[in-house]
Amino acid sequence: MNSPHLSVRERAAVLWAEHVTLNTAKERDDVYEIVRKEFSDPELVELTAATALFNLSNRVQDSLRFPIEEESEVNKIKTSVRTDPQKLKAYLQRVVDDWPDEMPEPKG
């Protein structure tokens, strides 16, 4: 939330997703007002539905202990070479450098 790389609109989306996930959005008029300044009614419905869908999927998979990946794929990851922190930092810097100044508005 404190990243200088997030716009006000992006911060509002993260804030809303967090409160929907924690099921506290219904109690937080202050959060709702922040989000309403940045999103139209249809956008807010879409953001809420997408967050709820991901939460539903996670809860079903976690509760029923569904493996997300086959064990053989998980084992490949466990034995992979450790990521070089400098390479990761360079990659993330390229992502930030190429980030658009403005995000396109959703079509709708």
Side-chain angles (χ1 to χ4, degrees):
M1 291 300 294
N2 297 324
S3 171
H5 303 293
L6 293 177
S7 69
V8 171
R9 183 175 163 91
E10 290 165 332
R11 283 188 184 102
V14 170
L15 180 66
W16 187 248
E18 179 178 9
H19 282 279
V20 169
T21 298
L22 297 172
N23 202 26
T24 56
K26 63 186 174 193
E27 303 160 357
R28 296 291 304 268
D29 293 337
D30 58 329
V31 171
Y32 182 78
E33 291 304 318
I34 291 169
V35 175
R36 289 296 298 132
K37 289 178 186 174
E38 299 300 322
F39 294 95
S40 66
D41 287 342
E43 290 172 326
L44 184 56
V45 168
E46 188 174 337
L47 179 59
T48 304
T51 302
L53 181 63
F54 277 101
N55 282 302
L56 171 69
S57 175
N58 286 339
R59 288 188 176 121
V60 168
Q61 288 176 335
D62 290 349
S63 297
L64 298 176
R65 299 179 180 130
F66 289 157
I68 296 173
E69 298 283 346
E70 295 293 326
E71 188 67 28
S72 61
E73 294 301 312
V74 173
N75 289 337
K76 287 179 189 175
I77 295 168
K78 288 180 182 177
T79 61
S80 65
V81 177
R82 185 174 170 269
T83 301
D84 179 337
Q86 291 305 316
K87 288 181 180 178
L88 178 59
K89 183 178 179 181
Y91 166 75
L92 293 172
Q93 187 61 55
R94 285 194 307 276
V95 169
V96 169
D97 291 344
D98 293 337
W99 201 265
D101 291 332
E102 285 188 35
M103 290 293 180
E105 290 295 321
K107 295 179 183 178

